[in-house]
Amino acid sequence: MGEADAGTPSFEMTWSSTTSSGYCSQEDSDSELEQYFTARTSLARKPRRDQDEPVQWETPDLSQAEIEQKIKEYNGQINSNLFMSLNKDGSYTGFIKVQLKLVRPVSVPSSKKPPTLQDARRGSGSGRGSAVRRRTSFYLPKDAVKHLHVLSRTRAREVIEALLRKFMVADDPRKFALFERAERHGQVYLRKLSDDDHPLQLRLIAGPSEKALSFVLKENDSGEVNWDAFSLPELHNFLRILQREEEEHLRQILQKYSYCRQKIQEALRACPLG
């Protein structure tokens, strides 16, 4: 999906939130650095009552005639200009909408300002050849939504990489995953797309309904932390955080037992002898 390729899909980004972002620099003090990397948000997996239920379902293969029919049906059901178009080579183009639900901050080169809507549309790529030594991290709005114009052969991994590139995010793409979300019979189902899944094909099969299918970009939490996706400074910082959390936990335990010991001793002194 290089920018010079003729078949590169175009990307239209739309913000649906004005939430401000939080910033810190990886070359600032340790306290500011550790506001970015926290073991609680990066390592702990807290269960949530409203957590989506994972599910797997198969995607049917469509013949060329079925694709043409479904594109006609799809275009007839939408109330916007986000149509799908059939190409001469049998492929097709269309739009998918991706909602960002990122819990952790993302990193950009510190010389860059956080990307605005105008920056994303221009697709500015200045400074790519220069080595980046510093990074600035910020939180993306949790309800940010992106509309992407893609090809039927565009893979889920390419969608993730293109989003990160457009917003100048320096984090490893393996830290993120694309999910499809569906609502069925009052239940919410979530499926992690594989690298080779084709989001536009899923969009065509499901139709334009957001309840039938929507796409979500989240952290790639597979149960085990992919340590290879982190840089050496990040790994060293995790060790410092874990040590500080361990020391704090031990301090709290000692304080608890010291308080109990004190109360017991006070009770013993208050009891009359005999």
Side-chain angles (χ1 to χ4, degrees):
M1 294 183 65
E3 290 187 354
D5 297 339
T8 302
S10 60
F11 293 84
E12 295 292 338
M13 309 295 184
T14 303
W15 288 102
S16 63
S17 170
T18 57
T19 306
S20 60
S21 301
Y23 300 87
C24 65
S25 171
Q26 289 188 346
E27 286 194 351
D28 292 337
S29 64
D30 285 347
S31 62
E32 291 178 333
L33 178 63
E34 289 168 4
Q35 290 175 8
Y36 171 28
F37 294 112
T38 62
R40 297 186 187 279
T41 58
S42 297
L43 303 180
R45 303 289 181 259
K46 295 182 179 180
R48 298 179 301 173
R49 294 181 180 179
D50 59 345
Q51 189 170 12
D52 296 328
E53 179 180 348
V55 70
Q56 292 185 352
W57 56 82
E58 295 184 2
T59 302
D61 293 327
L62 300 178
S63 65
Q64 192 63 29
E66 290 174 326
I67 291 175
E68 293 180 15
Q69 180 61 31
K70 279 199 167 289
I71 289 177
K72 291 180 181 179
E73 294 175 356
Y74 183 96
N75 291 340
Q77 296 176 39
I78 61 176
N79 298 320
S80 63
N81 60 348
L82 305 180
F83 298 107
M84 289 196 187
S85 302
L86 187 63
N87 301 321
K88 293 181 179 180
D89 61 358
S91 65
Y92 50 96
T93 58
F95 293 85
I96 62 172
K97 184 172 74 172
V98 181
Q99 181 180 8
L100 273 70
K101 288 188 176 181
L102 301 179
V103 178
R104 307 172 198 137
V106 296
S107 298
V108 298
S110 60
S111 59
K112 303 288 185 181
K113 294 181 179 180
T116 63
L117 175 61
Q118 290 75 17
D119 294 332
R121 287 178 173 172
R122 285 196 300 265
S124 175
S126 60
R128 287 189 177 185
S130 59
V132 177
R133 295 182 177 273
R134 298 182 60 191
R135 293 182 182 181
T136 300
S137 60
F138 66 98
Y139 287 90
L140 287 174
K142 292 184 179 180
D143 54 352
V145 173
K146 319 291 185 295
H147 284 89
L148 296 83
H149 189 222
V150 298
L151 295 166
S152 56
R153 58 175 174 264
T154 302
R155 300 179 300 144
R157 178 53 51 185
E158 292 174 306
V159 169
I160 296 173
E161 292 172 352
L163 282 171
L164 299 182
R165 186 167 58 249
K166 290 293 182 180
F167 284 92
M168 297 175 287
V169 175
D171 295 295
D172 194 306
R174 291 177 295 173
K175 293 183 181 180
F176 306 91
L178 194 63
F179 291 79
E180 60 176 348
R181 186 178 185 274
E183 297 182 25
R184 300 178 182 177
H185 310 294
Q187 297 290 328
V188 175
Y189 300 93
L190 198 68
R191 183 178 78 92
K192 178 182 174 181
L193 299 184
S194 69
D195 289 349
D196 296 327
D197 278 334
H198 300 90
L200 189 62
Q201 294 181 12
L202 299 173
R203 178 80 279 166
L204 177 63
I205 293 171
S209 172
E210 289 295 318
K211 288 188 176 182
L213 175 69
S214 61
F215 295 104
V216 181
L217 183 69
K218 302 177 68 175
E219 281 85 4
N220 188 13
D221 293 332
S222 57
E224 294 184 358
V225 179
N226 184 11
W227 297 112
D228 293 335
F230 293 93
S231 65
L232 285 177
E234 291 174 333
L235 293 174
H236 284 302
N237 197 63
F238 277 131
L239 289 177
R240 291 201 303 271
I241 294 169
L242 290 175
Q243 181 179 356
R244 291 185 183 184
E245 288 193 352
E246 180 183 5
E247 293 172 353
E248 175 63 20
H249 189 58
L250 289 174
R251 187 191 65 80
Q252 292 177 1
I253 292 176
L254 292 174
Q255 183 179 12
K256 172 184 176 182
Y257 282 95
S258 176
Y259 176 79
C260 291
R261 187 180 297 107
Q262 177 184 349
K263 290 300 181 182
I264 292 173
Q265 290 173 348
E266 291 176 356
L268 287 173
R269 288 194 294 267
C271 290
L273 295 177

